[in-house]
Amino acid sequence: MAAIEDRLLVQQILSGDKEAYAVLVQRYQRKVRGYCQSMLGDPVQADEAAQDSFVKAYQSLSKFRGDSAFSTWLYRITTNHCLDMLRRRKRRPTVSWDALMEQETGFLQKLASTEAQAASTLENRDLADKILSTLPADYRTLLTLREAEGLSYEELGTVLHCSVDAVKSRLSRARKAMQERVRHFYDPKDVHTSKKGKEVHET
Amino acid sequence: MKHNKLIEKLSAYYDQRLSQPERWEMETHLQDCPSCRKTLREWKKISAFLFSKSLFSEWNEDIFTQKVMAHLEPAPPFSWKALLPWTAPVLGSALAAVWMWSAILPNIPGFDSDSVLLSDNTSTLKSKVSLSSEPRSPQNPAITLISYDEDQ
């Protein structure tokens, strides 16, 4: 057997083998840290959030009932922690979508170009984080868990305490919101100006 | 009308969560709907950019693990639940042993459980020796071993 199952490791830890937790940390740190970065944007805060989430998971390990996979349970703890951090951050000023468009027009146009994917630079990460930060927190959570972490609808329902049908409809709304954020830069000919001076998208 | 109805299912189609008949219906619609096709292309492209793993900054996995482990309490959280998976087999084995003792061993010819339970160590060892089919002799290693124990 290549790797000890998560549940067996949890039993070992609860029976007194603290070092077994290092195996779980090694196994899931990349996913948890990446998820925190998508949720929070800032890499330093993402590191702290990932560490805190692992410590919280350890402290709550006796509450893990094994109804879901350990990774799903860990995502739930990480989600709650990141949402708490975002709530606290709300008190500080954040970049609005309009301000972001003004500041980052060049980069956003690059996103629409074909070379955007190839250019995996820190600038692109920064821009991606800024775009994500303009989405509502629940949309960001859903999209990150689905698109980056590949969770199934059922797992998303477990993490977010909602039904599969709710996941389906919320995900649809989140994708539309994400598309609206960057649509301007994909195909400007789809956007024209209404009589009131507001941009309107053709459907 | 059909477009408005189907666009609600576009996200589920993107995630391959539609049933077979729904998928056929959607794919037929997509052939004639450039707007829905474009939406799917955009979702794919935006998602590839926003959630690209290669964009995440590198960090040292070992240092991260050490930091987490350093923040853990000295003793792991105790849980009775954790003992449950181990207590069930242990209790089961103990009950099986008791059953064997009471049901099977008394039926073995030449075995007297009373002599084992109620006697002192020496007689216990003698009764164990009496179970052996080998004649008692200095060459019998089992008997030699028991004699060694008695000497101790």
Side-chain angles (χ1 to χ4, degrees):
Chain A
M1 197 174 176
I4 305 173
E5 274 184 34
D6 292 350
R7 280 163 208 242
L8 285 175
L9 282 170
V10 170
Q11 279 176 13
Q12 280 183 30
I13 298 157
L14 291 174
S15 305
D17 182 6
K18 180 183 154 187
E19 291 307 310
Y21 195 63
V23 181
L24 287 174
V25 177
Q26 287 278 0
R27 196 172 284 176
Y28 293 109
Q29 60 172 285
R30 191 165 281 274
K31 281 173 169 287
V32 169
R33 204 273 188 179
Y35 176 48
C36 289
Q37 173 134 6
S38 289
M39 287 293 286
L40 302 169
D42 180 49
V44 177
Q45 284 194 356
D47 268 348
E48 282 173 18
Q51 278 178 39
D52 291 347
S53 299
F54 274 111
V55 173
K56 278 187 176 177
Y58 177 82
Q59 287 165 347
S60 312
L61 212 53
S62 58
K63 292 175 193 161
F64 175 64
R65 288 174 299 175
D67 298 339
S68 61
F70 174 77
S71 57
T72 309
W73 183 75
L74 183 60
Y75 275 128
R76 193 194 299 175
I77 288 173
T78 310
T79 301
N80 290 338
H81 188 66
C82 288
L83 289 175
D84 280 346
M85 286 182 79
L86 287 171
R87 264 180 232 119
R88 285 199 295 271
R89 197 194 278 180
K90 262 187 178 175
R91 292 168 203 153
R92 286 181 281 159
T94 50
V95 182
S96 70
W97 177 244
D98 290 338
L100 178 64
M101 284 204 296
E102 207 168 293
Q103 289 167 15
E104 308 282 356
T105 306
F107 286 134
L108 288 166
Q109 280 167 345
K110 247 173 70 180
L111 170 61
S113 67
T114 48
E115 68 266 25
Q117 272 92 342
S120 298
T121 62
L122 282 175
E123 282 176 344
N124 279 355
R125 178 68 260 164
D126 188 43
L127 175 60
D129 290 337
K130 280 177 179 167
I131 293 171
L132 283 170
S133 72
T134 64
L135 285 171
D138 56 335
Y139 286 177
R140 206 181 320 169
T141 308
L142 258 176
L143 287 170
T144 307
L145 287 173
R146 177 65 200 161
E147 300 286 343
E149 308 305 326
L151 264 65
S152 68
Y153 281 20
E154 288 75 14
E155 287 168 329
L156 286 171
T158 304
V159 172
L160 303 170
H161 293 288
C162 62
S163 67
V164 169
D165 283 341
V167 167
K168 208 182 276 188
S169 59
R170 284 165 68 181
L171 205 45
S172 179
R173 288 199 297 273
R175 286 202 170 107
K176 283 171 193 162
M178 174 183 77
Q179 188 184 19
E180 286 304 313
R181 288 280 186 275
V182 288
R183 173 166 248 174
H184 307 66
F185 307 97
Y186 275 93
D187 203 351
K189 72 174 184 285
D190 272 5
V191 184
H192 60 84
T193 308
S194 70
K195 286 175 186 173
K196 289 179 182 174
K198 284 185 178 176
E199 284 180 335
V200 172
H201 300 281
E202 285 178 1
T203 51
Chain B
M1 188 65 189
K2 197 177 180 185
H3 172 82
N4 290 339
K5 191 181 150 197
L6 283 174
I7 202 162
E8 295 303 315
K9 294 182 179 177
L10 203 58
S11 176
Y13 174 78
Y14 180 81
D15 288 326
Q16 300 178 338
R17 292 288 303 208
L18 290 185
S19 65
Q20 187 76 1
E22 285 175 321
R23 211 172 71 218
W24 284 339
E25 189 185 14
M26 179 62 80
E27 283 171 356
T28 309
H29 171 71
L30 283 171
Q31 285 175 353
D32 301 323
C33 183
S35 170
C36 284
R37 286 204 304 270
K38 187 162 156 267
T39 298
L40 284 175
R41 275 200 309 274
E42 285 184 1
W43 282 353
K44 203 173 173 183
K45 192 171 180 181
I46 298 167
S47 179
F49 177 79
L50 292 182
F51 303 106
S52 169
K53 293 279 184 187
S54 61
L55 293 178
F56 294 131
S57 56
E58 287 301 314
W59 84 105
N60 188 311
E61 293 191 4
D62 291 333
I63 290 177
F64 181 89
T65 306
Q66 284 168 17
K67 280 183 182 173
V68 171
M69 297 304 285
H71 282 88
L72 303 184
E73 299 158 4
F78 178 77
S79 167
W80 285 104
K81 280 181 189 171
L83 295 177
L84 286 176
W86 305 105
T87 46
V90 167
L91 277 175
S93 305
L95 286 171
V98 169
W99 178 77
M100 271 183 65
W101 189 266
S102 60
I104 297 174
L105 289 180
N107 298 328
I108 296 173
F111 179 80
D112 179 9
S113 60
D114 288 345
S115 68
V116 175
L117 292 169
L118 303 174
S119 63
D120 59 16
N121 284 342
T122 311
S123 61
T124 304
L125 289 167
K126 277 177 186 168
S127 63
K128 277 183 186 170
V129 169
S130 71
L131 283 170
S132 168
S133 59
E134 293 288 323
R136 189 168 189 158
S137 71
Q139 286 76 31
N140 188 327
I143 293 170
T144 307
L145 179 65
I146 288 165
S147 302
Y148 173 79
D149 285 345
E150 278 181 300
D151 293 342
Q152 295 299 304

